[in-house]
Amino acid sequence: VQLQASGGGLAQPGGSLKLSCAASGRTWSYAMAWFRQAPGKEREFVAGIIWRSGTPYYADSVKGRFTISRDAGKNTVYVQMNRLKPEDTAVYYCASTTRRESPMTASFDYWGQGTKVTVSS
């Protein structure tokens, strides 16, 4: 599975961005997720989605501001990020897993290359 993330950029505090992650190759996944890593910090889970059911999962830090979704026809997962904060600044990675576990705790098999999000005025 190859994952191609896109959509990062510069946003002002309170602004919005939408990230996309397109999967190609052997595309079956049980779940996909977005993680992020800020400078000097460990990578953290942001949001995940069970591919078949569309059930979303969110980190507490983004709940109510971010929305994860998927388009099965395009093999693409999205995260709509609203009310962005400077602390959302990070490189965002999408990932895919075939493990039938919650995306909040699962190990992920495939990773995209990352897309940088900067929130600054």
Side-chain angles (χ1 to χ4, degrees):
V1 177
Q2 292 78 45
L3 302 176
Q4 182 69 42
S6 61
L10 175 65
Q12 292 189 339
S16 299
L17 284 174
K18 186 174 184 178
L19 305 184
S20 301
C21 177
S24 60
R26 188 173 66 91
T27 58
W28 185 85
S29 298
Y30 177 74
M32 294 185 70
W34 288 94
F35 292 78
R36 66 187 181 188
Q37 187 166 21
K41 295 189 176 181
E42 294 187 353
R43 186 174 60 197
E44 64 175 355
F45 172 86
V46 175
I49 190 166
I50 304 301
W51 191 259
R52 184 170 183 176
S53 66
T55 304
Y57 296 79
Y58 298 99
D60 287 343
S61 59
V62 307
K63 203 171 291 184
R65 300 188 297 122
F66 289 14
T67 302
I68 190 169
S69 62
R70 87 274 193 250
D71 184 330
K74 296 181 179 180
N75 289 322
T76 299
V77 65
Y78 306 95
V79 61
Q80 176 68 46
M81 307 186 296
N82 297 329
R83 292 169 20 221
L84 285 163
K85 304 176 180 180
E87 51 263 44
D88 294 318
T89 296
V91 177
Y92 284 70
Y93 299 90
C94 61
S96 169
T97 183
T98 57
R99 291 170 174 79
R100 297 179 183 272
E101 303 171 11
S102 165
M104 297 188 76
T105 56
S107 296
F108 283 77
D109 308 295
Y110 305 100
W111 293 83
Q113 84 286 4
T115 185
K116 187 174 183 179
V117 171
T118 302
V119 183
S120 174
S121 55

